[in-house]
Amino acid sequence: MRSFVAVVDAGRFQDAADDLSITQQAVSKRIATLERTLGVRLFTRTARGARLTVDGQAFLPHARDLLRVEERALASVRPGRRPLRVDVIGRRLAPASVLGGFHRARPEVELDVVTLFDAGAAVEALASGSIDASFRAVDRSRLPGDIGAVRVFDEPVQLLTGPGHPLADATAVTPADLAGHLIWMPGIVAGTEWAAYYETLAAAFGLTIEVTGPGFGTDPLLDTLAGSPSLATFVGELTRLVWPSEQGLRRIAVHDPTPVYPHSLIWRRGNPHAALGDLREHLGAVKQGTGTWTPEWATEAA
Amino acid sequence: MRSFVAVVDAGRFQDAADDLSITQQAVSKRIATLERTLGVRLFTRTARGARLTVDGQAFLPHARDLLRVEERALASVRPGRRPLRVDVIGRRLAPASVLGGFHRARPEVELDVVTLFDAGAAVEALASGSIDASFRAVDRSRLPGDIGAVRVFDEPVQLLTGPGHPLADATAVTPADLAGHLIWMPGIVAGTEWAAYYETLAAAFGLTIEVTGPGFGTDPLLDTLAGSPSLATFVGELTRLVWPSEQGLRRIAVHDPTPVYPHSLIWRRGNPHAALGDLREHLGAVKQGTGTWTPEWATEAA
DNA sequence: TAGCGGCCACAACGTTTCGTTGTGCGGCCC
DNA sequence: GGGCCGCACAACGAAACGTTGTGGCCGCTA
């Protein structure tokens, strides 16, 4: 493939061979193999070099694309001057959306998105340099001194129920209203910062949160939820659900106070990656709302 | 690379090996080679399979991209059900722009753009099936019966001069005004349909068109034009010039009548490619303007 | 805690692929 | 028509690849 593009650019097999530091015969053999694989002739051989056939012309931009993508793939893991690598809590959750907004605003900034286990793993990864930034809810007082943090987004928590749930038709509920109901959150992983968030939330308002084993993915969770008259769960306002439309799930706002999930951007101080400043600048800091609730351990991350 | 994605999807080397119809050891060796090439570890090996590292997560979307691009590259030359392949007279000229408009309107239609020598080559390529459609100025009466043609775009011809040319400050000129001036069009290739167009144009209005040898590309042409007090050339209204801004070139409209270049879409009747109908539908037929001039041989292509 | 099973890595070997050298064939151009 | 330029074919050695066979590590279980 690289030989093909080299021949197109050079116009002659011999010149392409020089560019590739191999012999003309090797280039000839490579092109012949490629043509045999594709089943079409890519060049017309003339006495003055090689010219593209129609098939070759059609193939060329795709070949260039391939080399470009390969270059990007290599760059994504190249130590030093690689794309900005950002950890998000989940690809369908608010941080991913926020990062998408940054990408739309600054499309020239190369990004790679990864998902780590929890905030602790994110801090380790930041310290070791394997990622450049992370969106997590953190207890700022417990962060190492070389890790910076800015609370960038407070996401209201909503109640998610099926159509048969007693609260399904409410326009809004208060945390106190939920005291008698079962909040079902399978797939929650003990020890993670989001588990801690929901535990704190439950304790603060006397809620009952049930965690039945590891989750089997969100789809069966939502299916079960849609068919249950008693189960409800919490979900972030910006969480994108891929519900097959007719599941009839209801998102119900929570007020007085509104629990908000405190997403912070965290990074290692001294990380010289230029795009890191762009990201922080784009995000700014959240304006702390009134009438909201968030765990005390998170409020220090101003 | 394909093995890497297979392992990610399967979660275990052995399962990936089954998918690829090779042995587990071969997969292991491929991954090890890839990791050595990239200089990073892509998987953490556990007793229950292989999980992506952070680097692996960052690398994965690029790897998928690569496979996707490869698939498109293969499709571009696959006989039968390949992308719609359209010939344009030049990548910076009106037909390419029109095709770009179609692509924006129907981004789901896969397109490959090629450039053939002239209308004759395009007709041959249509007949042989190596292309699906072409934008050319054609003499409809001379087309084979199985080649369809619709005049889809009349492009006004403009005069292009440098700032020192006597007509540089004119807002518009008539063809008759040009009789005393030299029209310089290097790079015009005898025997092509666009050479025929300009020859007919010159003959119709008594113009002097000079063709000095093969062109050396458009950039030196425009440089020469910008610095000359006597040279002018014709250019299509939609031709995109990449002039380095400060060349000071002037585009001057031509009126009474306005010569228009009659772009037609031509295709082989009976070509079953579904996208061909989409393209024809998108283009429609040109509404013949008044006060314009075009060669008689082109007017039959109604 | 010892045994077992699942999973991946290492080693050795045969086959295939790749690149090289040497040579042949067919157009242009003078 | 001879010379030259440019690509293809042939033969050979080297490197890469995939296979079989085996070993080590981890987690689960009795």
Side-chain angles (χ1 to χ4, degrees):
Chain A
M1 194 70 82
R2 201 180 306 281
S3 301
F4 170 70
V5 174
V7 171
V8 172
D9 291 340
R12 275 186 294 272
F13 280 39
Q14 181 59 63
D15 295 357
D18 294 342
D19 294 343
L20 298 167
S21 302
I22 56 175
T23 61
Q24 167 266 315
Q25 289 89 334
V27 174
S28 175
K29 205 185 275 190
R30 283 186 181 180
I31 299 298
T33 303
L34 182 59
E35 288 180 333
R36 187 155 17 88
T37 305
L38 297 176
V40 297
R41 206 144 184 76
L42 296 173
F43 292 103
T44 57
R45 280 74 164 173
T46 75
R48 264 197 305 282
R51 299 167 55 90
L52 284 172
T53 62
V54 172
D55 285 312
Q57 285 190 47
F59 189 66
L60 176 58
H62 301 281
R64 291 198 195 275
D65 266 4
L66 202 70
L67 298 184
R68 190 163 27 239
V69 171
E70 186 218 18
E71 169 54 32
R72 287 201 177 181
L74 295 181
S76 73
V77 294
R78 181 155 39 219
R81 289 195 315 191
R82 67 168 176 225
L84 191 73
R85 193 179 287 178
V86 184
D87 159 65
V88 295
I89 186 171
R91 284 202 153 74
R92 314 200 66 83
L93 306 185
S97 301
V98 170
L99 203 53
F102 173 67
H103 178 63
R104 279 188 296 277
R106 302 290 301 275
E108 79 281 7
V109 177
E110 301 273 345
L111 286 178
D112 279 314
V113 182
V114 301
T115 297
L116 297 178
F117 177 68
D118 67 352
V123 169
E124 278 180 38
L126 286 170
S128 73
S130 40
I131 65 172
D132 300 304
S134 175
F135 288 90
R136 294 284 170 174
V138 291
D139 181 348
R140 199 189 188 184
S141 66
R142 292 188 165 194
L143 285 179
D146 63 337
I147 301 293
V150 176
R151 195 156 143 204
V152 291
F153 183 64
D154 275 4
E155 183 184 19
V157 169
Q158 300 180 327
L159 192 70
L160 188 69
T161 75
H165 193 277
L167 296 174
D169 295 324
T171 57
V173 297
T174 69
D177 292 336
L178 302 175
H181 296 279
L182 181 65
I183 307 295
W184 180 63
M185 299 195 76
I188 212 163
V189 180
T192 62
E193 82 280 9
W194 43 282
Y197 174 85
Y198 286 111
E199 285 162 13
T200 312
L201 176 60
F205 297 98
L207 309 183
T208 309
I209 292 187
E210 179 173 323
V211 181
T212 45
F216 297 98
T218 53
D219 282 4
L221 187 160
L222 297 179
D223 284 341
T224 305
L225 206 66
S228 164
S230 61
L231 293 178
T233 192
F234 282 134
V235 67
E237 185 182 72
L238 265 66
T239 296
R240 287 171 293 184
L241 303 176
V242 277
W243 68 67
S245 319
E246 288 84 10
Q247 283 183 312
L249 293 170
R250 312 289 174 91
R251 298 180 97 124
I252 301 158
V254 184
H255 285 161
D256 299 321
T258 299
V260 293
Y261 192 93
H263 300 283
S264 287
L265 182 75
I266 60 178
W267 71 94
R268 182 177 63 77
R269 300 186 204 279
N271 183 332
H273 202 303
L276 187 53
D278 296 338
L279 177 59
R280 288 175 50 194
E281 183 182 345
H282 176 263
L283 294 173
V286 72
K287 40 184 180 295
Q288 311 267 345
T290 59
T292 62
W293 174 94
T294 207
E296 282 190 19
W297 51 260
T299 54
E300 288 198 21
Chain B
M1 191 71 81
R2 200 181 309 278
S3 301
F4 169 71
V5 174
V7 171
V8 173
D9 291 340
R12 275 187 295 271
F13 280 39
Q14 182 59 63
D15 295 357
D18 294 342
D19 294 344
L20 298 167
S21 303
I22 56 177
T23 62
Q24 168 266 317
Q25 290 87 335
V27 174
S28 175
K29 203 186 277 191
R30 283 186 181 180
I31 300 298
T33 304
L34 182 59
E35 288 179 332
R36 188 154 18 85
T37 305
L38 298 177
V40 297
R41 205 143 184 79
L42 296 173
F43 292 103
T44 57
R45 280 75 164 172
T46 77
R48 266 198 303 283
R51 300 167 55 87
L52 283 173
T53 62
V54 173
D55 284 314
Q57 285 190 47
F59 189 65
L60 176 58
H62 301 283
R64 291 198 196 276
D65 265 6
L66 202 69
L67 297 185
R68 190 164 26 241
V69 171
E70 186 217 18
E71 169 54 32
R72 288 201 176 181
L74 295 181
S76 73
V77 295
R78 181 153 43 216
R81 290 195 314 191
R82 68 166 177 226
L84 192 72
R85 193 178 287 178
V86 184
D87 159 66
V88 295
I89 187 171
R91 284 198 153 77
R92 313 200 67 84
L93 306 186
S97 301
V98 170
L99 203 54
F102 173 67
H103 178 62
R104 279 187 296 278
R106 301 290 301 275
E108 78 281 7
V109 176
E110 301 273 345
L111 286 178
D112 280 315
V113 181
V114 300
T115 298
L116 298 178
F117 178 68
D118 67 354
V123 169
E124 278 181 38
L126 287 170
S128 72
S130 39
I131 65 173
D132 300 305
S134 175
F135 288 90
R136 294 285 170 173
V138 290
D139 181 347
R140 199 186 187 185
S141 65
R142 291 189 166 191
L143 286 178
D146 63 336
I147 301 294
V150 175
R151 194 157 142 202
V152 291
F153 183 64
D154 276 3
E155 183 184 19
V157 169
Q158 299 180 328
L159 192 70
L160 187 71
T161 74
H165 192 277
L167 296 174
D169 295 323
T171 57
V173 297
T174 67
D177 292 338
L178 301 175
H181 296 278
L182 180 65
I183 308 294
W184 182 61
M185 300 194 75
I188 211 163
V189 180
T192 63
E193 81 280 8
W194 41 283
Y197 175 85
Y198 286 112
E199 285 163 12
T200 312
L201 176 60
F205 296 99
L207 309 183
T208 308
I209 292 187
E210 179 173 322
V211 182
T212 43
F216 298 97
T218 54
D219 282 3
L221 188 159
L222 297 180
D223 284 341
T224 305
L225 206 65
S228 163
S230 59
L231 294 179
T233 192
F234 281 134
V235 67
E237 186 183 71
L238 266 67
T239 296
R240 286 173 293 183
L241 302 176
V242 275
W243 68 66
S245 319
E246 289 83 9
Q247 283 182 315
L249 293 170
R250 313 289 174 88
R251 296 179 99 123
I252 301 158
V254 183
H255 285 160
D256 298 319
T258 298
V260 294
Y261 192 92
H263 300 284
S264 287
L265 182 76
I266 60 179
W267 69 95
R268 184 176 61 79
R269 300 184 205 279
N271 183 334
H273 201 304
L276 188 54
D278 296 338
L279 178 60
R280 287 175 49 192
E281 183 183 345
H282 176 264
L283 295 172
V286 72
K287 39 184 183 294
Q288 310 269 342
T290 58
T292 63
W293 174 95
T294 207
E296 281 189 20
W297 50 260
T299 55
E300 287 198 23

